[in-house]
Amino acid sequence: MAAALPSGYRLSASIKEAHEHPIYCVSFSPADHKNEVGGSNKSALKYFSTCAGQFVHIYEVDMGVSDGVNKQEKRIMVRQVFCDVDDEEEFYTCAFGSRGITEGKSNAPNNKSKAIYFGGNQCKRSKGTKRQRKNDEDNSRIHDLSQRQGPPLLCVAGKRGIIKVIDTVLQSLVMTLLGHGDSVNDLKCCPTNESLLLSASKDHSIRLWNLQHGHMIAIFAGHDGHRGEVLSLSWHYSGTKFASSAFDNTIKLWNVSDKLTTEGPIQAAIRKSFEMEHDDKFKTVIEQTPYFATDSIHDLPGCVDCVQFVGDLILSKSVQNVVVLWQPVVTNEDFQTFNTIYPNYINEDRKNNDRIKSKVIFLRDFNVSNCDNWFIRFGSSSPYNEILAMGNQNGEVKVWKLMGSEDDNDEEYFDVNEGLLCKLKTGGSTVRMVAIAGTECIVAVCDDSSIWMFEALEE
């Protein structure tokens, strides 16, 4: 059950990374950890990663403890820093998924080395134990990760189009996933199977990977696929489908598990990818046709650079200073609702003959000023999607209540100014992405290499 929403947020901490590159992505680890220091009053720990230039940082957030009267302030510290030895690499996206080894009581990323260098077939460290160095002797091979139950692995990718998988306990590159023909813009792990990873690329394709054995399970591209650089991905909470958006101004919905009674080709490929070892020859499935596609949400010229499922609804953003909440019309019940709302609608686009569904129901807009630059991405709280947060080019972050309650007046709720919880200030640089841990804290990353953490205000 969702917790009560905070009344607002306040600045808790800020930090600036030393590399002077724009930070394009921030991602929270889904794992829960406890601070092993502090007696019986152990506070919760959260971990998040950022990527910028050839650098990847992992941060630890001590969420603090409350005795009912006094609440400890949240603290942030750098836990690990990774640097790719390729000076031309520039990371655009990072995501936690699958599992590494188990080490120590905390089951969390350790910080025995100050800096970790990796890239290609080599991995060098400024410091490290003999055992750690031995683990790096052969990073070109794919490791079998099927028996590991440790902290989530960290996946990163960017300009080079190579997905690199890092074990944060071994502090080592354990896998590289090759297949994309151009840069990778987004990575998302499946919410129901953390070993399944989606990647979106400038080569117009989306690929599905098995992180245990390194197999490329499926490619989503072709005749009915995107006609431009794929920028954003979002899994449905069920793990059976996902959304993609691209430079062609379209949003497409794809099935992963499309059969209820019989096993479809992608489902069969997923099953086989877990049964076959990494050395076995694997046959990748090609899916060319989404079950839904639309270019009517955002005006041209533009590109849809961020998309996210919110239950069965969808949030999407282009470069017109607005985030749109809408519903794809895909079921018979959806069509009945659509016909009630739009009784005089005439479908002028018959080129697909409804082979690919395309009708939508617009629900509400969230207006964001000074946000007409592309690759600025919003965040929504998981798993209940209670709030939405979005930054802009002036270093401001707006936070909205995303869903109405039974007490909300319909006319007021759907007014664009309603539901705004607060406006937050960073240092003035463009806020590239916002990530939210439940509703407890919001992290914003910026073009000037700065990170800003805001914590929830209690009623």
Side-chain angles (χ1 to χ4, degrees):
M1 184 176 179
L5 291 181
S7 58
Y9 290 83
R10 70 177 181 89
L11 180 64
S12 177
S14 65
I15 192 169
K16 193 165 186 177
E17 297 178 355
H19 46 67
E20 298 183 348
H21 293 282
I23 303 177
Y24 285 116
C25 187
V26 55
S27 177
F28 273 97
S29 169
D32 293 320
H33 304 281
K34 286 288 185 182
N35 192 344
E36 297 300 323
V37 180
S40 59
N41 245 357
K42 295 184 175 70
S43 58
L45 298 177
K46 293 281 187 183
Y47 291 89
F48 68 85
S49 64
T50 64
C51 59
Q54 64 198 104
F55 298 93
V56 180
H57 288 65
I58 297 179
Y59 294 89
E60 178 182 281
V61 180
D62 190 330
M63 304 300 285
V65 294
S66 176
D67 59 8
V69 179
N70 301 310
K71 185 175 180 182
Q72 187 179 5
E73 195 173 71
K74 294 176 175 59
R75 299 188 300 272
I76 181 174
M77 65 174 287
V78 180
R79 191 74 168 181
Q80 291 179 353
V81 181
F82 295 87
C83 177
D84 197 301
V85 297
D86 182 357
D87 293 336
E88 297 300 316
E89 179 64 279
E90 186 174 15
F91 293 123
Y92 301 144
T93 181
C94 54
F96 288 93
S98 196
R99 293 283 166 167
I101 72 166
T102 302
E103 180 173 296
K105 292 182 180 180
S106 67
N107 200 26
N110 66 46
N111 60 347
K112 294 179 181 177
S113 297
K114 288 186 178 179
I116 305 164
Y117 298 88
F118 68 96
N121 296 335
Q122 297 179 346
C123 183
K124 302 176 182 178
R125 281 191 181 80
S126 59
K127 294 183 180 180
T129 66
K130 182 178 180 180
R131 179 184 65 81
Q132 288 171 331
R133 291 194 298 272
K134 184 177 184 300
N135 288 326
D136 297 330
E137 290 177 357
D138 186 11
N139 283 303
S140 61
R141 70 186 179 91
I142 292 177
H143 294 244
D144 183 355
L145 304 179
S146 59
Q147 302 303 314
R148 297 190 173 188
Q149 298 298 321
L153 300 168
L154 178 60
C155 307
V156 295
K159 181 179 178 180
R160 290 297 196 190
I162 301 171
I163 302 169
K164 299 173 183 180
V165 185
I166 301 167
D167 189 309
T168 58
V169 175
L170 289 178
Q171 300 186 10
S172 175
L173 180 69
V174 294
M175 186 183 294
T176 54
L177 303 176
L178 304 175
H180 281 295
D182 214 320
S183 59
V184 173
N185 295 316
D186 204 9
L187 297 171
K188 290 289 165 50
C189 285
C190 179
T192 58
N193 187 338
E194 59 190 6
S195 293
L196 296 179
L197 175 73
L198 282 172
S199 58
S201 174
K202 189 176 181 178
D203 66 8
H204 301 189
S205 77
I206 303 149
R207 299 180 189 233
L208 178 63
W209 308 85
N210 181 316
L211 287 177
Q212 287 190 5
H213 300 300
H215 297 308
M216 186 194 305
I217 300 170
I219 301 173
F220 301 85
H223 178 66
D224 296 315
H226 286 290
R227 293 289 184 267
E229 184 171 351
V230 188
L231 298 174
S232 182
L233 297 166
S234 177
W235 283 95
H236 188 265
Y237 68 89
S238 66
T240 61
K241 52 193 173 184
F242 68 90
S244 62
S245 66
F247 240 116
D248 59 9
N249 207 48
T250 66
I251 300 162
K252 298 180 186 288
L253 308 184
W254 306 81
N255 275 318
V256 174
S257 301
D258 55 347
K259 303 288 185 181
L260 296 177
T261 56
T262 59
E263 188 178 62
I266 298 177
Q267 288 171 282
I270 291 172
R271 174 178 54 78
K272 290 176 183 176
S273 74
F274 287 97
E275 296 171 351
M276 298 174 65
E277 297 296 330
H278 61 265
D279 292 329
D280 296 336
K281 192 172 182 179
F282 186 82
K283 186 176 181 180
T284 300
V285 174
I286 309 295
E287 176 59 76
Q288 299 191 59
T289 304
Y291 72 89
F292 177 92
T294 181
D295 60 2
S296 64
I297 304 298
H298 301 280
D299 296 333
L300 288 170
C303 61
V304 185
D305 56 2
C306 194
V307 66
Q308 184 173 333
F309 266 110
V310 178
D312 292 324
L313 308 178
I314 293 177
L315 281 169
S316 61
K317 171 203 162 283
S318 184
V319 291
Q320 282 97 27
N321 292 315
V322 64
V323 179
V324 182
L325 179 66
W326 55 279
Q327 177 183 350
V329 178
V330 293
T331 67
N332 290 333
E333 184 178 351
D334 292 341
F335 275 100
Q336 291 174 5
T337 304
F338 179 88
N339 291 331
T340 301
I341 297 174
Y342 308 108
N344 300 319
Y345 175 83
I346 299 175
N347 187 4
E348 298 176 353
D349 182 7
R350 291 291 183 179
K351 60 184 177 182
N352 286 328
N353 295 319
D354 290 330
R355 181 173 58 89
I356 302 175
K357 297 179 176 64
S358 61
K359 295 183 176 68
V360 301
I361 298 173
F362 289 92
L363 298 177
R364 113 169 251 206
D365 290 345
F366 300 89
N367 288 347
V368 185
S369 59
N370 302 303
C371 193
D372 54 1
N373 198 359
W374 76 285
F375 216 55
I376 295 178
R377 296 181 279 186
F378 58 78
S380 178
S381 55
S382 296
Y384 300 107
N385 303 109
E386 301 103 320
I387 60 173
L388 166 70
M390 178 77 193
N392 68 7
Q393 291 155 240
N394 292 350
E396 301 166 337
V397 177
K398 280 187 174 183
V399 185
W400 294 270
K401 180 174 64 172
L402 187 53
M403 293 298 179
S405 68
E406 293 179 358
D407 298 328
D408 287 328
N409 178 282
D410 287 343
E411 292 184 4
E412 290 181 352
Y413 174 69
F414 285 98
D415 182 87
V416 295
N417 295 315
E418 286 298 316
L420 184 64
L421 284 178
C422 59
K423 295 180 183 179
L424 308 172
K425 290 279 190 179
T426 65
S429 181
T430 297
V431 178
R432 280 290 168 184
M433 188 173 181
V434 178
I436 307 173
T439 58
E440 297 175 271
C441 72
I442 295 173
V443 175
V445 295
C446 303
D447 271 1
D448 64 354
S449 309
S450 64
I451 300 168
W452 302 78
M453 188 174 76
F454 304 89
E455 65 175 321
L457 297 175
E458 294 185 348
E459 292 287 355

